[in-house]
Amino acid sequence: MTKFSRPTGTLDILPEEQPYWDYIIDYMTKVARGYGFQPISLPIFEDTQLFSRGVGEVTDIVEKEMYSFLDKGDNSITLRPEFTAGIVRAYIENGMQVEPKPVKLYSIGPAFRYERPQAGRFRQFHQFNAELIGSPSPLADLETMLMAWDIYNGLGFKDLAFQLNSTGCPKCRPGYVNVLVEYYREHIDEVCDNCKRRLAQNPLRVLDCKSDQCQPVIAAAPKIQEHLCAECATHFADLRGFLDDLGRPYTINHRLVRGLDYYTKTVFEVWAEGIGAQSAVCGGGRYDGLIELLGGAHTPAVGFATGLERVVMLLKAQEVAVPPIPAPPVFVVFLGKQMRSPAMQLLVQIRAADINGHIAMSGSLKSQLRQADKRGARFALILGEDEALRGEVILRDLKDGAQVSISQAALVDELSRRLS
Ligand code: ATP
Ligand code: MG
């Protein structure tokens, strides 16, 4: 028989891993709602063109990483590689521009990129994504960054570094790109082949090159900060001022350009130690042109996404204690086959009173009690024929082994009292 295994670059998130996921998803949801973000859930697949146009033709995602296929109706479909394009599509399609601005939305779910799998880099991964749509103010950029901050702080992370840059706008970026290309032409023999290609197709990305050979050229490259138009420079200065006033540390990183075409003005990432080469846990920025590009009215917006697998890696690397998923406190034990149904009735009765419990499917008294222990139950309810005849049940405290026979009618009250 063929043995099946999970596709390359995917993860089975087994029950023992789930406390990490519960913990981060609960916390992120709590922070997002506290900030006034509303949940939105969208299809996992969209029209391929939404991404090629929205993310940008000359990006790693669109050139190499998309899971695209023709469906049975010959439509080109792509599994979402990121959330923003889909959210913008939904914003436009559902007429959300009439809602009070900014519209604040968050989502949690899987995303798909055909990448070379490594630690922290998967082909199916999960993101928490937040978008704040409809405000050009640097306060909006600040708000998204603060939310990222609060999430990581509240989860218990230490030593995170906020990296910040401005990538300008369609008014000032082309001027900078010309200067950058000019500079690279003078150094063309010193850079890698990839950068030679990038220079022709998506010049900003040369700043992002990881090859050793290119590092001295990048270090001495002209900086976009010196080429921002007045509007972008003021926006960036305001944002930095707000962060300074709040005492939030950040590093200006001239090399930070981000891999998606849609960013304007602010871009930021959060970096962390302890997750190997994949040091970014979060990436985001402003995308003032995207909504118009996808057919809506000109609408400024800003957002970010954080990779949940990387957040889980970080929890482990930083040894953050995560609360276990609570086990049902009660375990029902029956003595003999004829007690199966009465035992189940007892369990149904306590469940109706919101007291959670398990039942053994079979086994001797000893083995059922062992199961109760293994499953972390606090109390066992033991039902034998004698107890059943008297309308009673044995309540055994599994911590100290003390047990009493109590009336079944008083069971819910007694359990509630002991569990509170
Ligand atoms: P990287 O530089 O690591 O490739 P990115 O810039 O491509 O990241 P974004 O598009 O900004 O990533 O996505 C936001 C976040 O999603 C990242 O900071 C990271 O935590 C996570 N992420 C992105 N790609 C993957 C992946 N293939 N596997 C796991 N997490 C990912
Ligand atoms: Mg990437």
Side-chain angles (χ1 to χ4, degrees), residues 61 65 81-82 113 115 120-127 210 258-260 263 269-270 278-284 305-310:
I61 289 182
E65 298 174 357
E82 54 96 58
R113 296 183 192 177
E115 301 216 57
R121 190 172 294 286
F122 304 97
R123 291 183 176 172
Q124 174 172 335
F125 59 101
H126 297 78
Q127 288 188 335
K210 306 288 184 301
R258 309 263 313 119
L260 297 80
Y263 288 108
E269 285 187 355
V270 181
Q278 316 312 332
S279 61
V281 280
C282 167
T306 184
L308 303 192
E309 284 77 2
R310 291 188 196 176

Side-chain angles (χ1 to χ4, degrees), residues 97-150:
Q97 69 280 354
V98 301
E99 290 179 19
K101 288 201 185 65
V103 175
K104 296 159 108 178
L105 302 167
Y106 78 92
S107 312
I108 298 173
F112 305 84
R113 296 183 192 177
Y114 190 82
E115 301 216 57
R116 199 160 60 80
Q118 308 160 52
R121 190 172 294 286
F122 304 97
R123 291 183 176 172
Q124 174 172 335
F125 59 101
H126 297 78
Q127 288 188 335
F128 167 89
N129 184 89
E131 312 289 355
L132 199 153
I133 303 174
S135 170
S137 166
L139 279 178
D141 310 53
L142 178 70
E143 182 85 334
T144 53
M145 290 182 74
L146 290 179
M147 189 156 96
W149 232 296
D150 282 356

Side-chain angles (χ1 to χ4, degrees), residues 141-418:
D141 310 53
L142 178 70
E143 182 85 334
T144 53
M145 290 182 74
L146 290 179
M147 189 156 96
W149 232 296
D150 282 356
I151 285 174
Y152 299 128
N153 258 327
L155 285 173
F157 292 142
K158 306 211 161 42
D159 303 324
L160 298 186
F162 274 73
Q163 305 282 312
L164 184 64
N165 196 17
S166 172
T167 56
C169 69
K171 262 183 284 169
C172 54
R173 190 183 313 166
Y176 170 67
V177 169
N178 283 341
V179 173
L180 185 68
V181 170
E182 206 52 51
Y183 165 83
Y184 260 77
R185 288 231 174 88
E186 290 162 23
H187 297 272
I188 201 74
D189 297 332
E190 300 155 48
V191 301
C192 70
D193 288 345
N194 225 340
C195 279
K196 289 182 182 124
R197 189 184 62 89
R198 287 189 186 116
L199 208 58
Q201 297 183 326
N202 193 352
L204 273 188
R205 294 307 304 277
V206 297
L207 296 172
D208 194 32
C209 180
K210 306 288 184 301
S211 97
D212 288 342
Q213 174 185 0
C214 296
Q215 299 315 305
V217 182
I218 296 170
K223 299 188 166 73
I224 192 162
Q225 249 76 88
E226 286 142 26
H227 298 269
L228 295 178
C229 62
E231 188 194 315
C232 287
T234 306
H235 190 276
F236 196 46
D238 285 350
L239 175 60
R240 282 176 354 233
F242 297 150
L243 291 168
D244 294 339
D245 293 345
L246 286 165
R248 301 296 167 113
Y250 60 89
T251 305
I252 303 283
N253 181 346
H254 304 285
R255 302 182 47 171
L256 191 67
V257 289
R258 309 263 313 119
L260 297 80
D261 266 3
Y262 52 60
Y263 288 108
T264 51
K265 296 195 169 87
T266 313
V267 287
F268 69 94
E269 285 187 355
V270 181
W271 293 0
E273 297 290 327
I275 50 173
Q278 316 312 332
S279 61
V281 280
C282 167
R286 177 167 279 286
Y287 51 96
D288 290 347
L290 182 62
I291 297 177
E292 204 171 359
L293 183 72
L294 294 178
H298 176 76
T299 312
V302 53
F304 74 90
T306 184
L308 303 192
E309 284 77 2
R310 291 188 196 176
V311 172
V312 169
M313 282 176 81
L314 204 54
L315 286 172
K316 292 179 181 172
Q318 298 203 353
E319 294 178 5
V320 176
V322 162
I325 296 173
V330 177
F331 195 96
V332 179
V333 170
F334 56 89
L335 305 180
K337 265 192 166 175
Q338 65 284 18
M339 284 298 105
R340 288 183 303 180
S341 181
M344 193 51 115
Q345 289 168 37
L346 215 54
L347 181 56
V348 167
Q349 181 194 333
I350 66 167
R351 279 178 177 157
D354 252 345
I355 299 172
N356 295 321
H358 276 297
I359 189 166
M361 300 294 139
S362 63
S364 65
L365 171 64
K366 204 165 149 209
S367 102
Q368 291 186 52
L369 284 174
R370 219 171 22 236
Q371 295 177 46
D373 256 341
K374 276 202 186 131
R375 293 191 182 266
R378 180 77 177 73
F379 298 104
L381 294 176
I382 305 169
L383 192 63
E385 244 173 299
D386 292 349
E387 288 76 32
L389 279 173
R390 292 198 303 269
E392 293 186 347
V393 59
I394 295 172
L395 172 57
R396 181 182 171 104
D397 188 328
L398 293 170
K399 250 192 201 152
D400 55 14
Q403 60 181 49
V404 287
S405 188
I406 64 165
S407 114
Q408 292 182 11
L411 179 60
V412 163
D413 284 348
E414 181 59 17
L415 280 174
S416 308
R417 195 180 61 77
R418 291 198 187 202

